[in-house]
Amino acid sequence: MKNIVTLLTVLFLSFGVSAHEGGHGSPIKVWHFTNSEMNLKAEFIEKIDETVYLMNEKHKVVFFNISNFTSEEQHYILNKATWIGDKNGSETAYPLFSIHYANLFICFGVALLLFSLFRFRQKGSSKILAFSSIGLAFVIMGCKTNSPSKGIKMATNNISFLESVFGVFDKVTTRFDNKYFYIESDGLPEHEMMTGITNWQQQVPINHDYSGTNAWAVPLYPELAENPLSTKDNFMKGAIAIAANGIPIFNPLNNRGEDANAIGELDQWGGHCGRADDYHYHLPPTHLQSKVGSDKPIAYALDGFPVYGETKEALDENLGRFTSDSTYQYHAVKEYPYLIAAMKGKVEFNPRTKAPENEIMPQAKTRGVRPDLRPLRGAKIIGFKNLEPNQYSLTYEVESSIYTINYGWDNNGKYNYEFINPDGTITNSTYNRE
């Protein structure tokens, strides 16, 4: 019995592999690696997530992380993986779940159902039930996978262009696979922060590890949503876009549905800190335009479409427009809703969230180091300085009295806070980020 099941499974998987465009038939080429003089002659088989599989001249499968290859090789890998995905009817990072493989699931499931019916009809219902259940599961999986996506595919995001936008900022690093372009940063911009806030919840900006599996992700293959969702009634949890300097952009409305700018929560750059002491924007960071250039976007929405600065061109109800090359882009405006009135692109949601706090996925997470505090009535932030690496000083005023918070952290995740009162008394607090 076990041998029969194993044989059927192997035959199914073998059929899937042989049907896959790539591997055998791909050209043998010389591969080049970073930080190494080693070159390898091999043919491309597959890329799954960050792992690239090759077959060397001895017909042995070897694998490497994509970051081990030179930039030119990474571009080749991405293009090859995309081509394979197109041939298999999918543009995702999971080719086994393409429409092509969905048909295989259905065929395999039907075969199991027929096999169980004719093989075990004389030997009892338990074996029929077992094999029928497995077969039915494959059929259901195939039918679900074969369901068409409700979205209209748009032009693929150009990797080189994305790199030219985010690469302007020294603190930002980028990488990509065949599904997403990833943006990594420490969550702290190079410009001053916090000055000008008059509605303050006593947070101060600290670093956050937006890297690795917690990096920001922009889809390489954006699709138009069948029904764009308004940011007035959605996306009040998490970011809706990522700025060119690696800082997330949240909904202009806070999680209470208030215009964060109108009620004094934002600094002179359109940002503030969340409860985890995470700095983010609620307004389009148009001040970045001078850095990225007038012809480049200042951010990318998490649906994959770029966000540009202000324009004299007519905008649609989403605060975007189609360009002459049939791509789509958002633009900033001076009044609410400021940017992305509705999410034109197709996005996936965190299943644990519901509107209006439905969160777009994938979404980088923050991790604070101290308890969140309540608003300090009457406080106005009047100064903020970066004294030295990882050391900051924030000054605020309450009823003409001046208060100062000096704080910083070391390389071991130890955070020190010094609170200086108007009379010169000092209170210290220390926290550890584990």
Side-chain angles (χ1 to χ4, degrees):
M1 176 64 63
K2 291 183 179 179
N3 292 335
I4 294 174
V5 175
T6 302
L7 178 61
L8 286 171
T9 303
V10 169
L11 287 173
F12 165 70
L13 292 177
S14 298
F15 178 48
V17 171
S18 64
H20 181 65
E21 300 273 355
H24 308 292
S26 295
I28 295 178
K29 67 183 294 293
V30 177
W31 297 87
H32 302 87
F33 300 83
T34 58
N35 302 323
S36 173
E37 296 181 357
M38 179 190 74
N39 295 324
L40 174 67
K41 184 177 287 188
E43 63 176 289
F44 178 81
I45 296 179
E46 180 58 284
K47 176 184 177 299
I48 301 177
D49 295 331
E50 300 290 302
T51 304
V52 179
Y53 296 87
L54 307 174
M55 181 176 288
N56 64 20
E57 294 179 293
K58 296 181 179 180
H59 300 286
K60 179 181 179 181
V61 176
V62 292
F63 56 91
F64 306 88
N65 189 285
I66 191 172
S67 63
N68 293 334
F69 294 89
T70 63
S71 177
E72 291 77 10
E73 299 289 22
Q74 290 185 36
H75 280 276
Y76 177 90
I77 291 167
L78 177 67
N79 291 333
K80 190 68 177 177
T82 301
W83 182 83
I84 290 171
D86 290 339
K87 289 294 183 181
N88 285 331
S90 171
E91 290 176 331
T92 70
Y94 307 99
L96 282 176
F97 292 93
S98 64
I99 293 174
H100 173 80
Y101 283 94
N103 293 331
L104 295 182
F105 281 135
I106 294 172
C107 291
F108 185 63
V110 171
L112 273 181
L113 288 172
L114 294 174
F115 177 80
S116 64
L117 178 64
F118 290 104
R119 179 70 177 80
F120 299 118
R121 59 182 178 178
Q122 303 295 332
K123 298 185 178 182
S125 60
S126 60
K127 293 179 180 179
I128 293 179
L129 180 62
F131 273 79
S132 298
S133 299
I134 296 172
L136 184 61
F138 271 97
V139 172
I140 292 173
M141 186 185 301
C143 290
K144 286 186 175 181
T145 305
N146 220 357
S147 299
S149 174
K150 293 184 178 180
I152 302 173
K153 289 180 171 58
M154 297 291 287
T156 302
N157 275 322
N158 183 279
I159 297 294
S160 297
F161 185 74
L162 285 160
E163 290 175 336
S164 71
V165 173
F166 293 96
V168 171
F169 297 90
D170 295 335
K171 295 179 66 176
V172 177
T173 57
T174 60
R175 55 188 171 84
F176 56 89
D177 57 24
N178 55 327
K179 186 175 183 180
Y180 292 108
F181 184 84
Y182 299 98
I183 300 98
E184 300 181 333
S185 75
D186 66 358
L188 293 171
E190 296 174 348
H191 61 70
E192 187 184 337
M193 296 171 279
M194 307 301 286
T195 303
I197 291 177
T198 58
N199 187 348
W200 182 45
Q201 295 190 4
Q202 301 190 70
Q203 291 104 357
V204 296
I206 63 173
N207 62 329
H208 288 270
D209 185 13
Y210 298 137
S211 66
T213 58
N214 197 46
W216 296 100
V218 172
L220 289 177
Y221 307 100
E223 299 180 27
L224 295 178
E226 188 176 35
N227 297 299
L229 294 177
S230 167
T231 53
K232 186 177 181 180
D233 304 307
N234 296 275
F235 316 125
M236 293 181 192
K237 180 179 177 64
I240 60 173
I242 178 71
N245 62 349
I247 304 301
I249 304 173
F250 282 36
N251 194 317
L253 302 180
N254 61 25
N255 56 9
R256 300 183 300 277
E258 304 165 315
D259 182 345
N261 181 50
I263 63 175
E265 286 189 345
L266 306 182
D267 62 22
Q268 297 173 6
W269 297 267
H272 71 174
C273 292
R275 293 181 177 178
D277 287 334
D278 55 301
Y279 187 82
H280 56 261
Y281 300 120
H282 280 268
L283 297 181
T286 53
H287 55 275
L288 300 180
Q289 197 78 75
S290 60
K291 186 90 179 213
V292 299
S294 60
D295 61 336
K296 298 285 182 67
I298 56 176
Y300 267 81
L302 296 188
D303 62 3
F305 293 125
V307 181
Y308 284 77
E310 297 175 14
T311 181
K312 294 181 180 179
E313 300 287 342
L315 302 178
D316 62 19
E317 68 276 11
N318 310 304
L319 293 185
R321 64 187 182 92
F322 288 97
T323 63
S324 58
D325 58 355
S326 298
T327 58
Y328 187 82
Q329 60 190 45
Y330 300 103
H331 282 273
V333 297
K334 294 185 182 298
E335 305 297 332
Y336 176 82
Y338 306 110
L339 81 166
I340 313 178
M343 193 64 70
K344 186 70 172 178
K346 180 183 175 183
V347 293
E348 296 183 10
F349 303 110
N350 182 341
R352 297 187 297 274
T353 63
K354 295 182 179 180
E357 292 192 339
N358 41 351
E359 180 183 54
I360 298 174
M361 296 295 286
Q363 179 92 202
K365 299 300 180 183
T366 58
R367 190 158 58 94
V369 298
R370 61 183 186 135
D372 60 290
L373 303 175
R374 302 276 72 84
L376 182 59
R377 186 179 299 276
K380 178 181 179 180
I381 299 177
I382 58 176
F384 187 86
K385 296 179 180 180
N386 185 184
L387 303 175
E388 55 184 273
N390 302 338
Q391 300 296 320
Y392 296 88
S393 179
L394 182 147
T395 305
Y396 65 95
E397 180 181 5
V398 179
E399 297 180 351
S400 300
S401 297
I402 307 299
Y403 298 77
T404 300
I405 303 175
N406 296 321
Y407 71 100
W409 55 91
D410 60 23
N411 294 330
N412 297 318
K414 183 179 180 179
Y415 291 73
N416 295 308
Y417 294 81
E418 180 184 66
F419 301 89
I420 305 176
N421 297 314
D423 60 3
T425 58
I426 298 175
T427 303
N428 292 288
S429 296
T430 300
Y431 302 92
N432 288 290
R433 176 181 271 168
E434 299 179 356

